[in-house]
Amino acid sequence: MQHLIALLAGILPLYLVRFEVFGVPTNVLEVALYGIFIYALVHAYTKKGMRDLFSIPREKLSRAGFWLLLLGAALSAALNPTLRAFGILRGWFFDPMLLFLLIRYI
């Protein structure tokens, strides 16, 4: 699992390679992140460690900041009349949170 996270750091320049999946614009780095996260989900499910994968920090200040950031980003995207806001939500908030969860899991 650690090797896959290191692979993400190695393919950072491939962020510039863009394409569409089912009409949704994406890039190689995001697809690799989602693939690694799905692998981690399967790994956690077989090891009965789903709680470990989705754990956020136990400190109250960190937990409150995590939820406030998520709520603010989701509210901002929902109130924006363009669909571009959901791409920003995915690229700037959702993907880094997935990476954060993966790093905490390993």
Side-chain angles (χ1 to χ4, degrees):
M1 182 70 81
Q2 294 90 349
H3 294 37
L4 294 175
I5 301 298
L7 178 71
L8 278 178
I11 64 170
L12 275 174
L14 292 178
Y15 181 78
L16 298 173
V17 178
R18 299 185 181 275
F19 56 94
E20 289 187 6
V21 176
F22 302 116
V24 177
T26 188
N27 57 52
V28 174
L29 186 63
E30 288 178 346
V31 170
L33 176 66
Y34 300 149
I36 292 170
F37 191 76
I38 290 171
Y39 174 77
L41 277 174
V42 171
H43 183 265
Y45 182 73
T46 58
K47 299 286 184 180
K48 307 281 193 259
M50 292 294 273
R51 184 169 294 184
D52 294 337
L53 180 60
F54 291 108
S55 68
I56 58 175
R58 294 189 184 263
E59 297 84 19
K60 288 183 181 180
L61 186 60
S62 295
R63 186 172 285 200
F66 179 83
W67 288 113
L68 285 173
L69 179 67
L70 184 64
L71 178 68
L75 188 62
S76 173
L79 294 177
N80 194 340
T82 65
L83 288 177
R84 186 175 187 152
F86 290 104
I88 292 171
L89 179 68
R90 184 190 75 213
W92 292 357
F93 295 99
F94 184 69
D95 293 346
M97 284 184 194
L98 281 182
L99 184 61
F100 171 74
L101 291 174
L102 280 173
I103 291 172
R104 279 188 58 93
Y105 180 64
I106 62 166

